[in-house]
Amino acid sequence: MTAAALPAIPIAKPLVGDEEKRAVIEVLESGQLAQGSRTEAFESAFARYIGTKHAIAVNSGTAALIVALQAYGVGPGDEVITTPFSFIATATSIIACGAKPIFVDITADDFNLDPALVEAAITPRTKAVMPVHLYGNPARIDTLKAICDRRGLALVEDACQAHGAEHQGRRVGTFGAGCYSFYPTKNMTTGEGGIITVDDDEVARRCRIIRNHGQERRYYHEHFGLNWRMTDLSAAIGQVQLGHLETWNEARIRNAAALSERIRALEVPVTLPSCRPGDRHVFHQFTVRIANDRDGVQQRLQAAGIGTGIHYPIPIHEQPIIKEMGFGEASVPLSEQAAREVLSLPIHPSLTPADIDRIATALDAAVRG
Ligand SMILES: *Cc1c(COP(=O)(O)O)cnc(C)c1O
């Protein structure tokens, strides 16, 4: 069979099975569809998995970011330091709170916030720092936490791609408030959904209030909140998925090692993803750098039946709406270079050894033109 005749390998493949179906039917039959006991049980299980005292489930990763920022009191007049090399929700969640995103550059090795630049960007208006653990690779989160502690700033971790990632033996999402997404392409899903992990009792309490129309007692609204609640239908899917997460993460890590080895053996001129010693990268994405003609390589891979993704082609500060709203100013050359060079290859748990071989061989051919 020629390569062209083989079925295409998708960039992402959500795994849902009979267990999830049964769990959803059980919830449907129970009559309790909105946030209830399933959501509470899922929160406890997720908090245990991450290693925080609390977890607060919401209806998206974006909601998790907004609710966490608001729980720390981020609002109009405040600045939040973040990375422009991420999905747009990292910045729009800050803007949704009425605050200003301040974009500082990444380091070339891990695509994540450079702590030295964060420190230099702090002003009297800075209220929080929001690093992203991009692709599932931990940011230098202990250094960032030390800066935040010293300067009295909130630390909100965008861990939407990093379920189970670890920095020096400690799970991400335990350093500040961890914000996770359960969108179908993430390492685990609830359809749509998100969650905040945090140790601080008061921040957790505020998250719960903000999630539910700002009420502690029904129909008494002392705080500002909206409806960010997760449904029990989603939570039931999440409970099942969480049970598989470690198996799937291990499969991603194994696939990444195997794919790296094949690409190295073929001496393909690309820069492979790296992970600092002592850290655990959970490979939400396996992203290489291609110095020349990245878009051409992507097209040739597409023709060879290999699904790819560009995460992300335009840094956030260059997005039209961000410029239009007046947040486009940033000096971030490494982020701009990364946006030109990155290409994500399939790494999901259902890949076979033959798939991995085919991806490496097709990449080699595509890069060599
Ligand atoms: C997916 C993602 C989000 C948003 O999560 P949703 O559940 O889609 O709202 C935010 N930040 C990053 C880095 C993401 O990958």
Side-chain angles (χ1 to χ4, degrees):
M1 217 170 13
T2 64
L6 291 167
I9 302 173
I11 179 70
K13 189 174 176 189
L15 292 164
V16 279
D18 290 338
E19 272 180 288
E20 283 87 344
K21 286 182 206 162
R22 274 197 301 276
V24 168
I25 288 167
E26 216 176 277
V27 175
L28 285 171
E29 288 176 348
S30 79
Q32 168 66 57
L33 309 187
Q35 182 189 301
S37 60
R38 288 286 191 154
T39 302
E40 245 176 70
F42 176 51
E43 288 174 335
S44 302
F46 200 82
R48 216 162 33 245
Y49 171 73
I50 296 297
T52 52
K53 197 165 165 193
H54 305 281
I56 302 92
V58 291
N59 46 35
S60 71
T62 308
L65 294 169
I66 294 171
V67 171
L69 286 167
Q70 291 183 347
Y72 282 108
V74 172
D78 294 332
E79 294 177 353
V80 179
I81 299 171
T82 193
T83 163
F85 193 58
S86 181
F87 180 57
I88 188 109
T90 302
T92 46
S93 60
I94 296 167
I95 298 169
C97 297
K100 181 179 183 189
I102 302 293
F103 298 110
V104 310
D105 216 353
I106 56 174
T107 49
D109 60 343
D110 67 352
F111 302 104
N112 285 323
L113 271 186
D114 182 340
L117 298 176
V118 168
E119 181 112 55
I122 296 172
T123 75
R125 287 178 299 282
T126 308
K127 184 91 176 188
V129 177
M130 190 195 278
V132 179
H133 305 293
L134 198 69
Y135 308 142
N137 194 19
R140 289 171 169 84
I141 194 69
D142 54 351
T143 310
L144 292 168
K145 178 173 167 44
I147 293 169
C148 288
D149 287 350
R150 187 155 25 85
R151 307 295 290 262
L153 305 175
L155 178 62
V156 176
E157 299 175 61
D158 183 338
C160 285
Q161 303 187 355
H163 317 62
E166 292 171 14
H167 181 61
Q168 306 303 312
R170 181 169 162 192
R171 289 255 152 93
V172 306
T174 64
F175 293 81
C179 298
Y180 295 83
S181 164
F182 301 124
Y183 184 74
T185 59
K186 309 286 166 138
N187 290 27
M188 61 170 283
T189 186
T190 62
E192 294 271 12
I195 205 163
I196 302 152
T197 57
V198 71
D199 278 325
D200 189 298
D201 294 340
E202 179 56 20
V203 173
R205 191 181 73 89
R206 280 191 232 137
C207 286
R208 291 200 178 93
I209 293 168
I210 293 163
R211 165 180 69 176
N212 189 25
H213 299 293
Q215 60 189 350
E216 283 176 87
R217 283 183 299 147
R218 191 178 279 243
Y219 305 136
Y220 286 87
H221 305 274
E222 297 164 57
H223 310 269
F224 185 82
L226 293 165
N227 176 359
W228 304 112
R229 297 184 307 258
M230 177 177 271
T231 67
D232 262 21
L233 290 162
S234 294
I237 298 172
Q239 285 180 296
V240 176
Q241 292 263 312
L242 182 58
H244 295 297
L245 179 59
E246 272 310 292
T247 309
W248 291 338
N249 277 344
E250 283 301 318
R252 285 175 183 273
I253 292 166
R254 264 197 320 276
N255 289 347
L259 184 54
S260 293
E261 196 184 302
R262 285 299 296 140
I263 292 172
R264 251 186 242 114
L266 291 168
E267 297 181 19
V268 187
V270 299
T271 308
L272 291 168
S274 63
C275 175
R276 277 182 290 278
D279 280 11
R280 183 185 196 219
H281 185 331
V282 291
F283 290 97
H284 170 60
Q285 299 293 352
F286 181 97
T287 305
V288 298
R289 271 185 197 266
I290 300 171
N292 296 305
D293 190 26
R294 184 267 320 270
D295 294 348
V297 172
Q298 182 180 39
Q299 280 162 18
R300 291 189 282 280
L301 282 170
Q302 170 80 26
I306 311 294
T308 58
I310 295 172
H311 308 101
Y312 295 88
I314 303 172
I316 299 174
H317 69 289
E318 288 181 353
Q319 294 288 352
I321 187 61
I322 300 298
K323 288 197 285 192
E324 195 183 310
M325 292 178 91
F327 304 121
E329 232 172 273
S331 173
V332 289
L334 294 181
S335 297
E336 287 163 10
Q337 184 184 353
R340 288 191 299 271
E341 295 184 349
V342 292
L343 186 69
S344 304
L345 302 170
I347 207 65
H348 51 79
S350 12
L351 294 180
T352 64
D355 290 336
I356 288 169
D357 203 57
R358 195 176 141 206
I359 295 164
T361 308
L363 178 69
D364 187 41
V367 168
R368 294 179 201 282

